[in-house]
Amino acid sequence: MSSKERPTLGGTRIKTRKRNIAAPLDPAAFADAVVQIYLDNAGDLELVAKSLESSDLNFSRYGDTFFEVVFIGGRTQPGTVKPDEGERHPYSIIDCEPKREVILPSVIYLQKILRRRPFLIKNLENVMQRFLQSLELFEDNERKKLAIFTALAFSQKLSGLPPETVFQPLLKDNLVAKGLVLSFITDFFKVYLVDNSLDDLISIMKRGKVEDDLLIFFPSAKRSADGFSEHFTKEGLLSLVEYNEKKIFEVKLKEMKSALTTQITEETDISEVIENVKQRVKDAKFSDVEVVRMLWDVIMDAVQWSGKNQQQNANAALRQVKMWAELLNTFCTSGKLELELIYKVQIQCYEDAKLMKLFPEIMRSLYEQDVLAEDTILHWFRKGTNPKGRQIFVKALEPFVNWLEEAEEEE
């Protein structure tokens, strides 16, 4: 083995990697700088936007602070909506008049800012969530301004602001109980519907996951269909009232169809089925025409259809009609309702290929079971107004009608 000394690193400096030293956060200085830009330009949002664009302010680091200055004129205390120390300006959204035309320029101004700096949308979400969760800390007038801004933000499609950001924070129990949410959402609806359709509004509510039950915005004491109608009728939002009534009707109709389908499939005693229908009709206030149409749908839906065997289909349909004729008879209490039933059968036979050739047989069966009167059938044959498949069905029914007319002459 060699006895030579090994080389050493004596006198050599070992370099260490420099760490990235983060600059200390200074939101107060950022807020003061933005406030000064507002003051220097006397609140002219066009000039403010240009000044912000040419500045070297660190928006990526102080995005929340920027929107605090936009909304309330200065920085807020951490985690609250209370003003913090520092400069303020009088051109904020909270300081302006609670009018659509006054707040709209602020929305357009923010749209420009967000197009240049799309990463700020998350900061806008953060600030809006914080403010909406703290509605009770604002005055009535200030809440109204926030509602107008929010409606205009969606109306102007403010750079991808997600609806759930707005609607979910509103659902805090204490805010709903105090009626603050109902007041806010009413102002929101009224402003949004100035430029948008009810369908647009419902689309936003769906995306915000609140469309299924608009009563969640109401305090528990007013949370009823009548309370909903009374409130929004008073506020002039009749289209919303009509939509909600239609939605309630559809839900109740669906529930009724489901219950009846189960009873008919299980061949429940017909007297029990009739009582069930009567009770549900009374509770839901369905019209006679709607009941007749619904009953026919349920009866036909319960038929066990064969794939291609037309005769089996005919037998199954006619057996079903005969079995539940008493149910139809109970609710077809006038010539008008009988005619509605014929139209319903006509449309279904026209739209369903397997039923197309069964129309005359179904009509004859309904006549034989005393569901349809002779006069009603003859009226439809001579003066029926629904055009769907009418020529085909009139021709198919002609032999039966001739038989009716001949029997009438013999009598």
Side-chain angles (χ1 to χ4, degrees):
M1 293 181 64
S2 172
S3 59
K4 289 184 179 180
E5 293 184 4
R6 294 181 180 181
T8 65
L9 296 176
T12 303
R13 294 184 63 186
I14 300 174
K15 294 183 179 180
T16 58
R17 184 184 299 171
K18 291 183 179 179
R19 296 179 180 177
N20 293 324
I21 301 173
L25 287 171
D26 190 7
F30 176 89
D32 289 346
V34 175
V35 168
Q36 193 58 50
I37 289 175
Y38 271 87
L39 295 173
D40 290 345
N41 293 284
D44 186 318
L45 295 178
E46 285 282 343
L47 298 177
V48 171
K50 289 179 180 178
S51 298
L52 290 173
E53 180 60 32
S54 61
S55 73
D56 58 358
L57 293 171
N58 191 346
F59 286 91
S60 61
R61 200 168 198 196
Y62 302 112
D64 284 15
T65 304
F66 169 69
F67 286 108
E68 291 170 2
V69 174
V70 171
F71 276 102
I72 68 170
R75 195 161 62 97
T76 64
Q77 295 177 16
T80 72
V81 299
K82 296 179 180 179
D84 203 351
E85 297 178 355
E87 297 293 326
R88 313 193 73 74
H89 71 84
Y91 309 110
S92 69
I93 292 169
I94 289 298
D95 288 317
C96 68
E97 291 183 77
K99 294 180 179 178
R100 176 186 175 280
E101 62 273 17
V102 176
I103 294 177
L104 181 58
S106 292
V107 177
I108 296 172
Y109 152 73
L110 285 181
Q111 186 73 283
K112 292 177 181 177
I113 298 291
L114 289 168
R115 282 174 184 162
R116 295 277 187 166
R117 296 180 172 88
F119 59 86
L120 284 175
I121 190 67
K122 190 61 184 175
N123 301 105
L124 176 59
E125 287 181 44
N126 294 340
V127 173
M128 288 191 69
Q129 283 180 332
R130 179 156 32 102
F131 286 179
L132 295 178
Q133 286 174 338
S134 307
L135 280 181
E136 73 271 22
L137 300 179
F138 292 97
E139 302 292 332
D140 288 346
N141 223 21
E142 295 172 339
R143 287 193 288 269
K144 186 179 185 71
K145 295 168 191 176
L146 287 175
I148 294 172
F149 171 86
T150 306
L152 291 173
F154 286 121
S155 183
Q156 297 294 317
K157 298 177 175 59
L158 189 63
S159 289
L161 182 66
E164 57 267 27
T165 297
V166 173
F167 297 120
Q168 293 304 315
L170 291 173
L171 300 181
K172 288 177 65 177
D173 290 342
N174 65 313
L175 298 180
V176 174
K178 293 176 182 178
L180 301 180
V181 175
L182 180 57
S183 177
F184 179 94
I185 210 70
T186 300
D187 289 329
F188 174 92
F189 288 160
K190 290 167 81 170
V191 173
Y192 185 82
L193 288 171
V194 170
D195 297 316
N196 301 275
S197 69
L198 182 64
D199 287 342
D200 293 329
L201 176 61
I202 299 307
S203 176
I204 283 183
M205 304 299 282
K206 284 181 179 178
R207 287 162 50 208
K209 301 175 183 175
V210 293
E211 180 264 347
D212 283 341
D213 185 11
L214 297 181
L215 287 175
I216 56 176
F217 297 123
F218 282 71
S220 56
K222 299 180 179 179
R223 195 171 292 172
S224 67
D226 290 340
F228 186 100
S229 298
E230 181 181 347
H231 173 77
F232 285 113
T233 297
K234 183 179 178 182
E235 295 294 337
L237 295 172
L238 294 179
S239 61
L240 191 63
V241 173
E242 291 169 2
Y243 166 81
N244 193 59
E245 289 175 348
K246 181 180 178 183
K247 188 170 181 62
I248 291 172
F249 168 81
E250 289 172 350
V251 169
K252 289 183 177 180
L253 187 62
K254 185 177 179 181
E255 290 174 351
M256 184 173 177
K257 277 187 173 183
S258 176
L260 280 178
T261 298
T262 300
Q263 286 188 313
I264 288 176
T265 302
E266 295 175 352
E267 298 186 5
T268 305
D269 184 78
I270 195 164
S271 60
E272 185 179 335
V273 177
I274 290 172
E275 285 306 311
N276 180 30
V277 174
K278 285 181 177 179
Q279 188 59 50
R280 286 179 177 272
V281 168
K282 181 180 178 181
D283 293 342
K285 300 177 182 177
F286 293 129
S287 73
D288 294 338
V289 171
E290 290 159 348
V291 173
V292 169
R293 291 172 179 169
M294 182 272 300
L295 288 177
W296 182 257
D297 281 338
V298 171
I299 289 171
M300 286 294 104
D301 286 345
V303 175
Q304 298 296 316
W305 301 106
S306 170
K308 296 182 179 179
N309 193 314
Q310 186 67 16
Q311 189 56 49
Q312 284 186 12
N313 284 335
N315 293 339
L318 296 176
R319 186 167 55 250
Q320 194 79 337
V321 170
K322 185 176 181 179
M323 182 181 295
W324 297 102
E326 186 181 343
L327 178 61
L328 290 169
N329 211 347
T330 303
F331 296 94
C332 280
T333 54
S334 68
K336 179 183 176 182
L337 293 175
E338 290 176 18
L339 190 60
E340 284 294 337
L341 177 57
I342 295 177
Y343 286 141
K344 182 66 181 175
V345 176
Q346 175 188 346
I347 293 169
Q348 187 173 28
C349 288
Y350 175 75
E351 294 177 347
D352 191 335
K354 64 178 173 289
L355 295 176
M356 180 71 80
K357 294 181 180 180
L358 295 184
F359 181 77
E361 294 182 69
I362 292 174
M363 294 292 287
R364 187 177 189 113
S365 180
L366 289 170
Y367 170 76
E368 290 173 349
Q369 301 300 323
D370 291 327
V371 177
L372 297 178
E374 178 182 332
D375 290 345
T376 308
I377 295 172
L378 293 176
H379 177 86
W380 175 88
F381 185 80
R382 295 164 182 164
K383 299 180 180 180
T385 56
N386 194 304
K388 290 189 174 182
R390 176 167 171 75
Q391 290 183 335
I392 298 171
F393 296 142
V394 165
K395 187 175 181 180
L397 197 62
E398 192 169 357
F400 177 56
V401 170
N402 290 338
W403 178 81
L404 288 175
E405 291 173 335
E406 288 170 6
E408 187 178 11
E409 288 174 3
E410 289 177 5
E411 290 178 4

